[in-house]
Amino acid sequence: MSDLRSEIVSLLPRLRRLAWIIVRNQQDCEDLLQRTIERALERSSGWQPGTRLDLWIFRIMKNLWIDETRSRNRWRRLVEPLDAGHTSGDHGFAAQAVLDEVDLRRMRDFVEDLPDTQRMAVKLVLLGGHSYAEAAAILEVPEGTLTSRLARGRTALLERFRSVGETQH
């Protein structure tokens, strides 16, 4: 059990990063991380030595998050908005920074509007940097299913982003 605890501790940076990718809110990130660790320790007998501990815990986190979003029934409330006063770059690029923020905010909204299956695929692969194999394992789907969800999600995002751009010109 102490070996398992040590391995879990070594996974904390990756677990925190995945929680952040999924929830994008500091408090919810910390809560999800804590619940994930608690659940992993409670169910440590379910982990098979010799299998990838990281993927097992990632699945626990994913399942906890799905349960949480279902109980809240309002995913949008969990997306961290950009601070109104936040700008990037120096003052000479302030106008571009504002436009970049608007586009980023819009894209975040578009991602949140995707169906659950596409949203999780996009967040894990495009935002989280997980490989297709890892994301498929976390979501407990075949890699081909993940690829299909990701392709549909990307297409939907591009179409939506383009349609908004066309209506503004």
Side-chain angles (χ1 to χ4, degrees):
M1 179 68 153
S2 68
D3 287 343
L4 178 65
R5 288 176 188 256
S6 297
E7 288 184 55
I8 291 173
V9 168
S10 71
L11 289 173
L12 283 176
R14 292 180 61 204
L15 291 168
R16 181 170 279 113
R17 189 170 47 247
L18 179 61
W20 178 253
I21 288 164
I22 293 172
V23 301
R24 304 295 293 183
N25 173 291
Q26 188 61 42
Q27 185 60 48
D28 290 330
C29 173
E30 294 300 322
D31 290 346
L32 180 59
L33 180 62
Q34 181 177 343
R35 285 193 319 270
T36 300
I37 300 304
E38 288 172 358
R39 178 74 52 91
L41 292 173
E42 287 169 4
R43 298 185 178 175
S44 61
S45 63
W47 177 66
Q48 299 297 318
T51 62
R52 289 191 54 184
L53 179 64
D54 59 342
L55 295 181
W56 181 71
I57 295 177
F58 288 166
R59 280 191 221 101
I60 290 172
M61 183 179 285
K62 178 217 36 156
N63 291 334
L64 284 169
W65 178 245
I66 289 170
D67 291 346
E68 177 69 19
T69 57
R70 285 180 182 153
S71 70
R72 291 184 187 198
N73 201 20
R74 289 197 50 155
W75 185 294
R76 283 192 182 285
R77 186 170 84 73
L78 302 176
V79 178
E80 179 186 59
L82 291 173
D83 295 335
H86 172 77
T87 58
S88 57
D90 67 28
H91 299 296
F93 298 102
Q96 184 61 48
V98 169
L99 290 174
D100 290 346
E101 273 189 38
V102 168
D103 285 345
L104 178 60
R105 212 176 276 143
R106 185 176 295 135
M107 188 56 79
R108 281 186 181 162
D109 289 343
F110 294 167
V111 169
E112 295 306 319
D113 288 341
L114 290 171
D116 290 341
T117 56
Q118 292 174 19
R119 180 177 46 242
M120 289 299 290
V122 166
K123 284 187 167 191
L124 288 170
V125 175
L126 299 181
L127 302 177
H130 291 277
S131 71
Y132 285 24
E134 286 177 331
I138 292 166
L139 295 174
E140 299 176 273
V141 298
E143 205 169 319
T145 301
L146 173 85
T147 303
S148 175
R149 290 176 181 178
L150 187 58
R152 287 193 313 271
R154 284 177 173 154
T155 300
L157 289 172
L158 287 171
E159 287 174 2
R160 184 123 185 247
F161 201 73
R162 285 181 186 141
S163 71
V164 169
E166 290 170 4
T167 60
Q168 292 177 349
H169 289 56

